[in-house]
Amino acid sequence: MERLYFHLSLNYFCCHTLDEQWRIISTFNKLPKPKLCVKFDKVECFQVRENTLGITLSVDDNSEQLAQRYVAEIEGALQKENLVVMPRKLQYPFHITLAGIHSQDDGQVQQETERAVARLNALLSSSDIPQHEFCLDQFEWNVR
């Protein structure tokens, strides 16, 4: 059976040169890696660009605060190394992307997606589904 893997990005280091990305990785590798445990509490839909919608599973408020504190420590270490980073708190909240939907008929896809998101949120909020905490203990870099 094929396994499906998701990721949760701690930060987005776009717009850096390859040299800067390697300096970021080197600095990060010197930092302690706590076990970061988060819970997810809502499914959201957002417009990525024209004719493209994204569906995400977002962390709850406590997890958002915990993750933001950890990432602020990373950003502080990077700033000490004279690396400029866009603060994570100014970016999209912590989430896992579940799907990207592309269509030429944006209106119909938007309606169908919003209905699906509403059904998923109803399931998430029901007491039939136990709340699980997910702990991040593997850190990988995606350098482009």
Side-chain angles (χ1 to χ4, degrees):
M1 184 167 116
E2 186 177 339
R3 295 185 75 177
L4 189 60
Y5 293 92
F6 293 100
H7 73 274
L8 180 107
S9 296
L10 292 178
N11 208 323
Y12 299 99
F13 296 110
C14 54
C15 306
H16 287 89
T17 66
L18 192 55
D19 179 61
E20 290 170 329
Q21 289 183 30
W22 287 117
R23 288 177 51 215
I24 290 168
I25 292 169
S26 175
T27 302
F28 177 79
N29 286 339
K30 295 174 191 171
L31 299 173
K33 312 295 183 294
K35 189 173 183 182
L36 183 61
C37 297
V38 297
K39 289 184 178 181
F40 297 90
D41 70 346
K42 61 188 163 290
V43 178
E44 298 179 294
C45 174
F46 68 99
Q47 181 134 15
V48 177
R49 61 186 157 275
E50 186 177 358
N51 297 329
T52 304
L53 301 173
I55 298 177
T56 61
L57 181 60
S58 298
V59 300
D60 67 10
D61 291 339
N62 289 337
S63 298
E64 179 72 25
Q65 291 172 15
L66 176 70
Q68 288 289 355
R69 282 194 300 273
Y70 175 57
V71 169
E73 291 176 21
I74 296 169
E75 292 168 351
L78 295 174
Q79 289 170 352
K80 287 180 184 175
E81 297 295 323
N82 296 317
L83 289 159
V84 178
V85 296
M86 166 73 83
R88 184 64 164 90
K89 66 183 178 185
L90 300 178
Q91 301 173 26
Y92 195 79
F94 289 95
H95 65 280
I96 291 175
T97 300
L98 300 175
I101 302 166
H102 311 282
S103 171
Q104 295 304 315
D105 182 6
D106 203 28
Q108 182 179 356
V109 169
Q110 177 88 28
Q111 290 172 352
E112 292 294 325
T113 303
E114 287 174 357
R115 279 197 287 273
V117 166
R119 287 194 301 266
L120 287 168
N121 277 316
L123 280 172
L124 271 177
S125 64
S126 83
S127 59
D128 296 339
I129 296 181
Q131 290 295 310
H132 293 286
E133 187 172 70
F134 295 89
C135 296
L136 309 175
D137 56 3
Q138 293 180 351
F139 295 90
E140 295 180 11
W141 285 93
N142 184 2
V143 178
R144 296 178 193 189

